Amino acid sequence: MSKLVILNLGRGTLQEGFHFVTVQLQSEFNSKTSQFQGSLPAAPNLIDLYRRWQLLYDLIYSARSINIGLRHEEFMDSDIKIDECDITHVSDAEFDEICKKLQKSLNNWLDSSDFRQIELQLRTKLSKSDEIRFIIQTEDTYLRKLPWHIWRFFEDYRLAEVALSPIEFESQNQVVSSELKVRILAILGNSTGIDTDADKKFLEKLSSDASTVFLVEPKRSEIDEQLWDNQGWDILFFAGHSSSKTDGETGFIHINPTESLAIGQLKNALKKAIERGLQLAIFNSCDGLGLAQQLDDLHIPQMIVMREPVPDKVAQEFLKRFLKGFADGKSFYLAVREAREQLQGLETEFPGASWLPVIFQNPALASPTWKELRQKTKDNATKEQPQRSTLSAKHRLRQRKASLQEIRYRPESASPKQHRQSKLNFKTVLIMSFIVTSFLMGVRWLGILQAWELQAFDHFMRSRRQEKQDSRLLIVTVTEDDLKLPEQKDRRGSLSDLALARLLEKLAPLQPKAIGLDIYRDEPSQLNQATLATRLKTDDNFFAICKVSDKTKNRSGNSPPKGVPPERQGFSDVVQDADKIVRRHLLAMQPADPTSPCTARYALNAQLAFHYLEKEGIYPNYTKAGELQLGNVVFKQLHAHKGGYQQVDTGGYQILLNYRSYQGSPLEIAPTVTLTDVLRSKVNPEQVKDRIVLIGTTAQSFRDYVSTPYMTGQGFYQEIPGVILQAQMVSQIVSAVKDGRPLLFILPFWGEMLWVWGWSVVGGAIASRERSGRHLILAGGGAIGVLYFLCLILFCSSVWVPLVPSALVLIVTSSIVVIYLNSPQS
């Protein structure tokens, strides 16, 4: 069975690491996709090893350049300056040693703990008999240069082959040619010092199913003309000299002794060739990573390039063996792997030969077989004409109906005022309303309406029905009275080491599923609290907070408690809007300051929720779009220009916070006990067993409070302690997964556009039909009332639709229509 594996390494680099790595696995005949998530640490040593490998490779072939012809620019023109005395000291044994070191380091890196789970998942779901297309998506130049085929995984899966791909890609709509042969455009470029005739002879003998057009040391205009050929091409082949810039972004092909081309200089012609069916480009020449990068930008389906300078004989042998296997019926990936592995037999004479070929793949497109390239029919071409004829007939019929309707309702005579009114038909109202809507949505995009929309959000949040407390949680508060306990005599904050140690000793036998400490403890435990230090280090159910520093905002951070491992740390940071109200839930982020004392990737509340759900067999995952998924629930990430948030920093992984209110207040989110209650054994064990216990301070003297959308009786925004906010966020995650409690949902941009435009049409329609000013005000006010109640009902169903923009366009459009109808005729 054929399988597709896509390893997305994100935007990381080998110097900084890859913090969000995802792998997707899909079968060829099954649309079901599996996805796994992990990370990879920084590995700058791989860069150093690769540079050393590349230098030795260049030195060896420079020393042998008298006997072989490299399909590359002269080494004297390269960025690496070679001393003749260095060349004499390079041996095959030294080169073989650096190959082994690079292979070992690559495998050790991919065996890191946060990535090993991904590999284990793959090995569980893949069979040794599966034919596997393994695509690696990355933008890191050095990752593209690494010989991924030496990963231990590919030794075990003999029918797997690796390809490279950019992170961003798209499919191309291609026209199917009527040609019944595989059409190959073969460009034989500058052949100084190499034998491109061997490539030509093999292509001529390739197969009776192939039709090859040769361009021998052509001019640019000749290549451009052939690429525009109306019949299209299946394969583009180049042999000759080529080179890439050191940044890996730009490549050049040397088409004749005096002329070189970058891929960008053939951009329009190549785009057209791809649209007309070009499936595969083979650059059987040197240093092709820059060529691949530029062709990736054009979204070509597949490419084969050489990652380094390639000896003439190696290039010829690879081409012969690949095309023979491909034309004989092997899959594209398997034909490349076998041809590449067969090059190992040449490595006595040509060290490193089997490391050179590399595939570049557009993940949106499947790799065709030779048979599929050959068996093209005229069906697609013949099917389009009847469809166009049918559409034309329907179009003519609609035109005739429209003409008859216009004649039927056209007034034979009208006064000037009536004539102005007759011109304001529904089509005119639609146009006016669309113009007004577009203008208001542009104003909204600039963030001018954001403050009003957030006030509407707060009003709707307060207007919802109350909910029951979340009984899966228990909150242990440290009050002002708790600060006076005997156990608190040596405290350095709101909770002493002794009080914390005894608190945890009391809770542990009651078997909570998770304990979260929402109190900073960035000082080491006292010497007489060895038991506490051990518990913090070994209790897998205990989680603690830290605070991320941000130099750009002159904000210092707080370290986690000493001994708590990174996997049980969570940041306490929250995002506040300009009015200091918390309406968003920050689930994850990458600290911007590399020197921050807190490096936790997930919030404390997320860590607690994940831990609780994992004990029930529910693990966090990421969708193809990179969105967090728990069970069947996808947590839609909040971006700028979504809903009422138009001009706002949405860094990290943010969602809207769907507060749970009990008796009209977010304070009563869950059952609450005090520190005294726990230490004096006044807590019912059933309140703790299998619960998530959150520990935090509510003492006013510590001012750990944040503002919410709710109001006090005095008309001020209600503040809640930080531990209550953490409980709200834990409850949001767990309730969504376990109870199906909906998350707040925002319509996509086109949905909001249609919604707002609809209310603009309503305003225009009312104004065009109501003559009385009184009736117009009543009808308009009624429409705004209906709009308000619809927005409220939808928000109570957890859908946030635009109220303020909709009300504004309704009023503005109706006003414009009234002015238009009452203005004198020009």
Side-chain angles (χ1 to χ4, degrees):
M1 182 180 294
S2 178
K3 299 289 182 69
L4 172 64
V5 178
I6 300 179
L7 171 60
N8 188 332
L9 295 169
R11 304 285 183 183
T13 64
L14 282 170
Q15 289 93 339
E16 299 176 357
F18 303 84
H19 304 294
F20 294 98
V21 176
T22 58
V23 169
Q24 295 176 1
L25 170 62
Q26 184 173 339
S27 299
E28 182 180 9
F29 302 108
N30 187 348
S31 59
K32 184 179 179 180
T33 300
S34 300
Q35 180 166 302
F36 322 113
Q37 190 262 340
S39 63
L40 278 166
N45 64 306
L46 283 175
I47 299 177
D48 296 335
L49 284 170
Y50 175 78
R51 286 173 174 167
R52 178 65 179 167
W53 180 90
Q54 189 179 44
L55 177 62
L56 293 182
Y57 180 91
D58 286 351
L59 291 174
I60 281 179
Y61 283 104
S62 290
R64 301 181 183 186
S65 59
I66 297 173
N67 301 317
I68 62 173
L70 287 170
R71 300 189 172 199
H72 189 49
E73 289 293 281
E74 293 297 328
F75 280 93
M76 295 303 294
D77 296 332
S78 69
D79 293 330
I80 302 174
K81 301 302 180 183
I82 302 170
D83 194 319
E84 291 183 2
C85 65
D86 290 333
I87 298 175
T88 61
H89 289 87
V90 178
S91 65
D92 287 1
E94 187 177 358
F95 182 74
D96 185 59
E97 181 65 24
I98 194 66
C99 289
K100 291 177 180 178
K101 285 184 179 179
L102 182 56
Q103 183 171 13
K104 182 179 179 181
S105 294
L106 179 63
N107 278 289
N108 288 342
W109 180 55
L110 294 173
D111 197 39
S112 60
S113 58
D114 289 335
F115 187 78
R116 191 183 306 121
Q117 189 62 31
I118 287 181
E119 184 180 351
L120 291 176
Q121 293 271 23
L122 286 176
R123 289 179 179 272
T124 300
K125 295 180 179 293
L126 292 172
S127 168
K128 297 293 179 66
S129 61
D130 288 335
E131 193 169 316
I132 303 166
R133 292 190 298 143
F134 200 111
I135 300 175
I136 297 172
Q137 293 183 294
T138 179
E139 301 293 347
D140 184 81
T141 301
Y142 279 104
L143 271 186
R144 287 178 167 230
K145 291 182 177 182
L146 290 178
W148 282 89
H149 67 275
I150 62 176
W151 180 17
R152 193 179 300 112
F153 177 89
F154 294 106
E155 294 179 6
D156 297 336
Y157 290 86
R158 299 295 302 161
L159 301 182
E161 179 63 345
V162 65
L164 300 176
S165 165
I167 293 175
E168 296 179 358
F169 58 88
E170 63 183 48
S171 60
Q172 288 282 352
N173 294 322
Q174 294 187 325
V175 178
V176 178
S177 169
S178 60
E179 178 68 45
L180 295 179
K181 291 187 176 184
V182 178
R183 296 200 77 219
I184 303 174
L185 177 60
I187 303 171
L188 305 179
N190 180 15
S191 60
T192 304
I194 58 175
D195 181 15
T196 57
D197 283 341
D199 301 72
K200 182 178 180 183
K201 290 175 183 177
F202 177 74
L203 289 170
E204 288 173 337
K205 298 176 182 178
L206 175 60
S207 171
S208 59
D209 298 329
S211 172
T212 306
V213 173
F214 292 96
L215 298 178
V216 180
E217 295 193 343
K219 295 181 179 179
R220 174 181 174 180
S221 59
E222 295 176 79
I223 298 174
D224 200 75
E225 181 180 356
Q226 286 295 335
L227 287 172
W228 279 93
D229 188 278
N230 287 328
Q231 294 184 62
W233 303 97
D234 299 301
I235 299 175
L236 173 64
F237 173 80
F238 174 82
H241 292 293
S242 65
S243 58
S244 294
K245 287 188 176 180
T246 53
D247 60 4
E249 299 290 328
T250 307
F252 299 89
I253 56 174
H254 304 274
I255 58 176
N256 57 55
T258 61
E259 195 173 2
S260 299
L261 286 180
I263 294 298
Q265 293 175 277
L266 297 171
K267 178 180 177 181
N268 293 334
L270 283 166
K271 274 189 172 182
K272 182 55 66 176
I274 293 169
E275 289 174 8
R276 288 174 176 163
L278 180 60
Q279 293 286 317
L280 170 63
I282 304 173
F283 287 88
N284 206 27
S285 57
C286 290
D287 201 8
L289 293 179
L291 300 171
Q293 177 66 40
Q294 292 172 292
L295 278 168
D296 266 343
D297 296 339
L298 300 179
H299 311 295
I300 190 169
Q302 287 87 213
M303 282 175 286
I304 302 173
V305 300
M306 299 292 177
R307 57 166 45 91
E308 297 293 340
V310 57
D312 205 21
K313 186 175 180 180
V314 172
Q316 293 163 5
E317 286 297 313
F318 174 78
L319 176 67
K320 179 173 67 176
R321 294 175 183 184
F322 162 69
L323 285 179
K324 186 179 185 305
F326 191 41
D328 286 347
K330 289 185 174 69
S331 69
F332 173 72
Y333 273 65
L334 193 55
V336 171
R337 173 161 183 160
E338 290 189 359
R340 175 178 55 76
E341 290 183 333
Q342 288 171 7
L343 295 179
Q344 192 175 37
L346 304 176
E347 289 186 343
T348 300
E349 186 179 359
F350 305 105
S354 63
W355 286 27
L356 300 179
V358 58
I359 300 172
F360 277 76
Q361 172 75 49
N362 184 337
L365 300 169
S367 299
T369 62
W370 183 270
K371 183 178 180 181
E372 288 169 342
L373 289 178
R374 178 174 56 83
Q375 292 181 342
K376 298 184 290 291
T377 68
K378 297 183 181 180
D379 292 347
N380 285 29
T382 58
K383 285 179 182 177
E384 293 183 5
Q385 188 60 39
Q387 186 177 3
R388 284 196 294 269
S389 299
T390 303
L391 290 174
S392 298
K394 289 181 179 179
H395 181 66
R396 288 194 298 270
L397 182 59
R398 284 198 300 268
Q399 283 184 324
R400 291 177 62 187
K401 286 184 177 180
S403 299
L404 288 171
Q405 191 173 19
E406 185 179 353
I407 293 172
R408 185 181 303 167
Y409 292 103
R410 184 183 298 150
E412 295 182 0
S413 61
S415 64
K417 188 172 182 178
Q418 289 173 330
H419 183 62
R420 171 60 66 93
Q421 183 178 344
S422 69
K423 289 198 297 183
L424 195 63
N425 54 26
F426 187 68
K427 181 179 178 181
T428 305
V429 172
L430 282 177
I431 294 172
M432 284 185 172
S433 63
F434 183 79
I435 293 172
V436 173
T437 301
S438 299
F439 175 77
L440 258 296
M441 292 299 279
V443 170
R444 185 190 194 221
W445 183 276
L446 298 175
I448 296 173
L449 307 180
Q450 182 168 298
W452 291 352
E453 292 200 73
L454 293 181
Q455 289 176 14
F457 176 95
D458 296 345
H459 173 75
F460 289 144
M461 184 67 72
R462 296 191 294 268
S463 302
R464 299 185 308 168
R465 64 181 183 276
Q466 70 177 23
E467 299 176 77
K468 295 180 180 179
Q469 288 185 325
D470 193 338
S471 59
R472 285 177 289 254
L473 276 65
L474 176 68
I475 302 172
V476 179
T477 61
V478 181
T479 65
E480 293 288 355
D481 290 337
D482 294 325
L483 300 177
K484 303 171 185 176
L485 289 169
E487 292 87 343
Q488 294 272 54
K489 62 180 179 179
D490 294 325
R491 67 180 177 85
R492 287 167 288 178
S494 60
L495 196 62
S496 70
D497 287 351
L498 179 60
L500 177 59
R502 293 189 177 177
L503 174 61
L504 296 179
E505 288 173 3
K506 290 284 187 178
L507 291 174
L510 303 181
Q511 299 178 346
K513 279 193 175 179
I515 300 174
L517 180 64
D518 186 36
I519 296 174
Y520 297 121
R521 298 187 64 79
D522 49 6
E523 295 181 8
S525 301
Q526 297 175 2
L527 294 176
N528 60 351
Q529 293 299 331
T531 303
L532 174 61
T534 301
R535 185 181 295 276
L536 297 182
K537 186 175 181 180
T538 60
D539 189 351
D540 290 337
N541 293 331
F542 179 83
F543 294 80
I545 63 165
C546 54
K547 188 175 182 65
V548 177
S549 64
D550 190 342
K551 290 182 178 179
T552 61
K553 298 179 181 179
N554 198 24
R555 184 181 70 195
S556 61
N558 293 87
S559 302
K562 187 175 181 180
V564 178
E567 60 269 21
R568 290 195 281 110
Q569 298 172 15
F571 60 75
S572 62
D573 304 69
V574 296
V575 285
Q576 296 176 307
D577 293 327
D579 53 6
K580 303 302 181 184
I581 296 174
V582 176
R583 301 180 181 92
R584 290 171 283 158
H585 182 174
L586 179 62
L587 287 166
M589 68 172 173
Q590 181 64 37
D593 181 8
T595 64
S596 173
C598 177
T599 58
R601 291 169 51 196
Y602 291 99
L604 174 65
N605 52 79
Q607 292 279 50
L608 291 169
F610 292 169
H611 185 73
Y612 181 90
L613 294 171
E614 283 173 1
K615 290 194 173 183
E616 302 193 12
I618 302 172
Y619 295 87
N621 199 356
Y622 284 86
T623 66
K624 290 182 179 179
E627 294 185 309
L628 175 66
Q629 181 173 2
L630 289 165
N632 297 322
V633 180
V634 176
F635 293 76
K636 295 289 186 181
Q637 188 174 2
L638 181 66
H639 299 285
H641 305 295
K642 292 281 287 183
Y645 285 105
Q646 297 296 314
Q647 297 293 330
V648 66
D649 181 8
T650 56
Y653 198 109
Q654 301 181 28
I655 61 175
L656 290 173
L657 179 54
N658 192 6
Y659 283 91
R660 181 192 290 265
S661 65
Y662 178 70
Q663 296 181 347
S665 170
L667 276 170
E668 306 298 328
I669 171 70
T672 302
V673 296
T674 65
L675 175 64
T676 302
D677 293 334
V678 180
L679 296 183
R680 303 298 179 256
S681 300
K682 296 180 181 180
V683 176
N684 184 348
E686 292 301 315
Q687 286 185 293
V688 181
K689 184 177 175 59
D690 294 332
R691 302 293 195 268
I692 301 172
V693 178
L694 275 155
I695 305 166
T697 179
T698 58
Q700 287 284 349
S701 56
F702 287 94
R703 289 305 303 158
D704 181 20
Y705 280 73
V706 293
S707 297
T708 70
Y710 294 84
M711 304 292 286
T712 64
Q714 291 75 32
F716 300 103
Y717 278 106
Q718 185 174 2
E719 294 184 335
I720 61 175
V723 67
I724 302 296
L725 181 66
Q726 293 289 341
Q728 286 280 357
M729 293 174 173
V730 173
S731 178
Q732 163 156 278
I733 299 171
V734 177
S735 298
V737 178
K738 297 292 293 179
D739 303 334
R741 182 175 182 263
L743 300 164
L744 289 176
F745 175 76
I746 300 174
L747 296 176
F749 176 79
W750 62 265
E752 289 192 320
M753 184 73 180
L754 288 177
W755 171 268
V756 175
W757 185 21
W759 290 103
S760 181
V761 172
V762 169
I766 290 173
S768 65
R769 284 163 175 74
E770 294 294 341
R771 293 292 151 265
S772 166
R774 179 183 177 185
H775 290 169
L776 178 61
I777 293 173
L778 288 174
I784 292 176
V786 171
L787 167 64
Y788 168 81
F789 282 108
L790 282 177
C791 290
L792 177 60
I793 291 169
L794 287 170
F795 194 91
C796 290
S797 301
S798 300
V799 182
W800 184 21
V801 294
L803 169 63
V804 174
S806 303
L808 287 175
V809 295
L810 190 153
I811 295 170
V812 172
T813 305
S814 59
S815 301
I816 290 175
V817 170
V818 169
I819 293 171
Y820 177 86
L821 291 175
N822 289 279
S823 62
Q825 183 183 9
S826 56

mmCIF file of all heavy atoms in Angstrom, residues 338-358:
data_model
loop_
_atom_site.group_PDB
_atom_site.id
_atom_site.type_symbol
_atom_site.label_atom_id
_atom_site.label_comp_id
_atom_site.label_asym_id
_atom_site.label_seq_id
_atom_site.Cartn_x
_atom_site.Cartn_y
_atom_site.Cartn_z
ATOM 1 N N GLU A 338 16.092 3.668 -5.945
ATOM 2 C CA GLU A 338 16.930 2.595 -6.476
ATOM 3 C C GLU A 338 18.084 3.152 -7.306
ATOM 4 O O GLU A 338 19.222 2.668 -7.229
ATOM 5 C CB GLU A 338 16.075 1.624 -7.288
ATOM 6 C CG GLU A 338 15.127 0.807 -6.423
ATOM 7 C CD GLU A 338 14.434 -0.292 -7.203
ATOM 8 O OE1 GLU A 338 14.685 -0.409 -8.425
ATOM 9 O OE2 GLU A 338 13.653 -1.040 -6.587
ATOM 10 N N ALA A 339 17.802 4.172 -8.113
ATOM 11 C CA ALA A 339 18.870 4.773 -8.916
ATOM 12 C C ALA A 339 19.911 5.429 -8.019
ATOM 13 O O ALA A 339 21.124 5.335 -8.268
ATOM 14 C CB ALA A 339 18.281 5.781 -9.891
ATOM 15 N N ARG A 340 19.454 6.090 -6.956
ATOM 16 C CA ARG A 340 20.382 6.742 -6.033
ATOM 17 C C ARG A 340 21.241 5.698 -5.309
ATOM 18 O O ARG A 340 22.472 5.864 -5.176
ATOM 19 C CB ARG A 340 19.600 7.577 -5.012
ATOM 20 C CG ARG A 340 20.465 8.199 -3.946
ATOM 21 C CD ARG A 340 19.655 9.057 -2.977
ATOM 22 N NE ARG A 340 18.564 8.334 -2.365
ATOM 23 C CZ ARG A 340 18.710 7.444 -1.385
ATOM 24 N NH1 ARG A 340 19.926 7.141 -0.945
ATOM 25 N NH2 ARG A 340 17.661 6.845 -0.861
ATOM 26 N N GLU A 341 20.620 4.620 -4.841
ATOM 27 C CA GLU A 341 21.379 3.605 -4.105
ATOM 28 C C GLU A 341 22.375 2.869 -5.008
ATOM 29 O O GLU A 341 23.436 2.429 -4.552
ATOM 30 C CB GLU A 341 20.411 2.620 -3.452
ATOM 31 C CG GLU A 341 19.632 3.236 -2.291
ATOM 32 C CD GLU A 341 18.728 2.239 -1.608
ATOM 33 O OE1 GLU A 341 18.300 1.263 -2.269
ATOM 34 O OE2 GLU A 341 18.433 2.431 -0.409
ATOM 35 N N GLN A 342 22.041 2.731 -6.284
ATOM 36 C CA GLN A 342 22.952 2.059 -7.208
ATOM 37 C C GLN A 342 24.224 2.875 -7.440
ATOM 38 O O GLN A 342 25.256 2.329 -7.856
ATOM 39 C CB GLN A 342 22.250 1.778 -8.538
ATOM 40 C CG GLN A 342 21.219 0.664 -8.439
ATOM 41 C CD GLN A 342 20.385 0.536 -9.692
ATOM 42 O OE1 GLN A 342 20.642 1.201 -10.703
ATOM 43 N NE2 GLN A 342 19.374 -0.316 -9.651
ATOM 44 N N LEU A 343 24.156 4.179 -7.147
ATOM 45 C CA LEU A 343 25.358 5.012 -7.298
ATOM 46 C C LEU A 343 26.433 4.658 -6.273
ATOM 47 O O LEU A 343 27.588 5.045 -6.435
ATOM 48 C CB LEU A 343 24.986 6.493 -7.160
ATOM 49 C CG LEU A 343 24.072 7.077 -8.234
ATOM 50 C CD1 LEU A 343 23.771 8.543 -7.932
ATOM 51 C CD2 LEU A 343 24.690 6.934 -9.621
ATOM 52 N N GLN A 344 26.054 3.932 -5.211
ATOM 53 C CA GLN A 344 27.043 3.553 -4.210
ATOM 54 C C GLN A 344 28.159 2.696 -4.810
ATOM 55 O O GLN A 344 29.293 2.698 -4.335
ATOM 56 C CB GLN A 344 26.363 2.802 -3.060
ATOM 57 C CG GLN A 344 27.247 2.624 -1.845
ATOM 58 C CD GLN A 344 26.501 1.988 -0.692
ATOM 59 O OE1 GLN A 344 25.661 1.116 -0.887
ATOM 60 N NE2 GLN A 344 26.802 2.427 0.524
ATOM 61 N N GLY A 345 27.821 1.962 -5.864
ATOM 62 C CA GLY A 345 28.825 1.142 -6.527
ATOM 63 C C GLY A 345 29.924 1.949 -7.186
ATOM 64 O O GLY A 345 30.979 1.411 -7.539
ATOM 65 N N LEU A 346 29.712 3.258 -7.365
ATOM 66 C CA LEU A 346 30.719 4.117 -7.989
ATOM 67 C C LEU A 346 31.571 4.861 -6.963
ATOM 68 O O LEU A 346 32.452 5.641 -7.342
ATOM 69 C CB LEU A 346 30.026 5.149 -8.898
ATOM 70 C CG LEU A 346 29.101 4.621 -9.995
ATOM 71 C CD1 LEU A 346 28.451 5.791 -10.722
ATOM 72 C CD2 LEU A 346 29.880 3.756 -10.971
ATOM 73 N N GLU A 347 31.302 4.664 -5.659
ATOM 74 C CA GLU A 347 31.901 5.533 -4.660
ATOM 75 C C GLU A 347 33.378 5.248 -4.398
ATOM 76 O O GLU A 347 34.028 6.031 -3.712
ATOM 77 C CB GLU A 347 31.087 5.473 -3.368
ATOM 78 C CG GLU A 347 29.737 6.168 -3.540
ATOM 79 C CD GLU A 347 28.943 6.279 -2.253
ATOM 80 O OE1 GLU A 347 29.260 5.562 -1.280
ATOM 81 O OE2 GLU A 347 27.995 7.087 -2.206
ATOM 82 N N THR A 348 33.918 4.146 -4.917
ATOM 83 C CA THR A 348 35.360 3.969 -4.835
ATOM 84 C C THR A 348 36.063 5.046 -5.654
ATOM 85 O O THR A 348 37.065 5.629 -5.242
ATOM 86 C CB THR A 348 35.754 2.574 -5.359
ATOM 87 O OG1 THR A 348 35.106 1.590 -4.568
ATOM 88 C CG2 THR A 348 37.267 2.384 -5.289
ATOM 89 N N GLU A 349 35.479 5.323 -6.813
ATOM 90 C CA GLU A 349 36.038 6.351 -7.693
ATOM 91 C C GLU A 349 35.452 7.724 -7.410
ATOM 92 O O GLU A 349 36.133 8.746 -7.528
ATOM 93 C CB GLU A 349 35.782 5.968 -9.145
ATOM 94 C CG GLU A 349 36.441 6.888 -10.161
ATOM 95 C CD GLU A 349 36.178 6.441 -11.594
ATOM 96 O OE1 GLU A 349 35.504 5.396 -11.774
ATOM 97 O OE2 GLU A 349 36.631 7.134 -12.512
ATOM 98 N N PHE A 350 34.168 7.737 -7.000
ATOM 99 C CA PHE A 350 33.464 9.008 -6.800
ATOM 100 C C PHE A 350 32.834 9.015 -5.397
ATOM 101 O O PHE A 350 31.645 8.702 -5.244
ATOM 102 C CB PHE A 350 32.383 9.209 -7.861
ATOM 103 C CG PHE A 350 32.899 9.124 -9.273
ATOM 104 C CD1 PHE A 350 32.651 7.991 -10.046
ATOM 105 C CD2 PHE A 350 33.637 10.153 -9.821
ATOM 106 C CE1 PHE A 350 33.118 7.910 -11.341
ATOM 107 C CE2 PHE A 350 34.103 10.084 -11.110
ATOM 108 C CZ PHE A 350 33.857 8.953 -11.875
ATOM 109 N N PRO A 351 33.582 9.362 -4.356
ATOM 110 C CA PRO A 351 33.052 9.365 -2.984
ATOM 111 C C PRO A 351 31.827 10.266 -2.854
ATOM 112 O O PRO A 351 31.770 11.355 -3.427
ATOM 113 C CB PRO A 351 34.227 9.915 -2.159
ATOM 114 C CG PRO A 351 35.442 9.611 -2.979
ATOM 115 C CD PRO A 351 35.021 9.732 -4.404
ATOM 116 N N GLY A 352 30.836 9.781 -2.072
ATOM 117 C CA GLY A 352 29.637 10.590 -1.806
ATOM 118 C C GLY A 352 28.631 10.602 -2.929
ATOM 119 O O GLY A 352 27.664 11.368 -2.863
ATOM 120 N N ALA A 353 28.800 9.774 -3.971
ATOM 121 C CA ALA A 353 27.918 9.845 -5.136
ATOM 122 C C ALA A 353 26.457 9.589 -4.770
ATOM 123 O O ALA A 353 25.548 10.259 -5.276
ATOM 124 C CB ALA A 353 28.376 8.828 -6.194
ATOM 125 N N SER A 354 26.208 8.625 -3.866
ATOM 126 C CA SER A 354 24.819 8.260 -3.542
ATOM 127 C C SER A 354 24.132 9.291 -2.658
ATOM 128 O O SER A 354 22.947 9.148 -2.358
ATOM 129 C CB SER A 354 24.783 6.887 -2.866
ATOM 130 O OG SER A 354 25.475 6.924 -1.632
ATOM 131 N N TRP A 355 24.844 10.317 -2.214
ATOM 132 C CA TRP A 355 24.247 11.365 -1.406
ATOM 133 C C TRP A 355 23.732 12.537 -2.249
ATOM 134 O O TRP A 355 23.139 13.463 -1.722
ATOM 135 C CB TRP A 355 25.265 11.914 -0.403
ATOM 136 C CG TRP A 355 25.557 10.996 0.742
ATOM 137 C CD1 TRP A 355 25.459 9.648 0.754
ATOM 138 C CD2 TRP A 355 25.986 11.381 2.047
ATOM 139 N NE1 TRP A 355 25.805 9.151 1.985
ATOM 140 C CE2 TRP A 355 26.143 10.192 2.804
ATOM 141 C CE3 TRP A 355 26.271 12.592 2.652
ATOM 142 C CZ2 TRP A 355 26.556 10.203 4.141
ATOM 143 C CZ3 TRP A 355 26.694 12.604 3.985
ATOM 144 C CH2 TRP A 355 26.832 11.415 4.715
ATOM 145 N N LEU A 356 23.944 12.499 -3.557
ATOM 146 C CA LEU A 356 23.721 13.699 -4.366
ATOM 147 C C LEU A 356 22.275 13.919 -4.824
ATOM 148 O O LEU A 356 21.760 15.025 -4.707
ATOM 149 C CB LEU A 356 24.664 13.681 -5.583
ATOM 150 C CG LEU A 356 26.157 13.658 -5.251
ATOM 151 C CD1 LEU A 356 26.986 13.626 -6.529
ATOM 152 C CD2 LEU A 356 26.542 14.868 -4.399
ATOM 153 N N PRO A 357 21.573 12.926 -5.380
ATOM 154 C CA PRO A 357 20.223 13.201 -5.895
ATOM 155 C C PRO A 357 19.235 13.499 -4.778
ATOM 156 O O PRO A 357 19.269 12.874 -3.713
ATOM 157 C CB PRO A 357 19.852 11.889 -6.617
ATOM 158 C CG PRO A 357 21.132 11.154 -6.806
ATOM 159 C CD PRO A 357 22.000 11.542 -5.663
ATOM 160 N N VAL A 358 18.334 14.434 -5.000
ATOM 161 C CA VAL A 358 17.302 14.788 -4.021
ATOM 162 C C VAL A 358 16.031 15.180 -4.765
ATOM 163 O O VAL A 358 16.088 15.817 -5.820
ATOM 164 C CB VAL A 358 17.783 15.920 -3.096
ATOM 165 C CG1 VAL A 358 18.163 17.161 -3.891
ATOM 166 C CG2 VAL A 358 16.740 16.265 -2.043
#
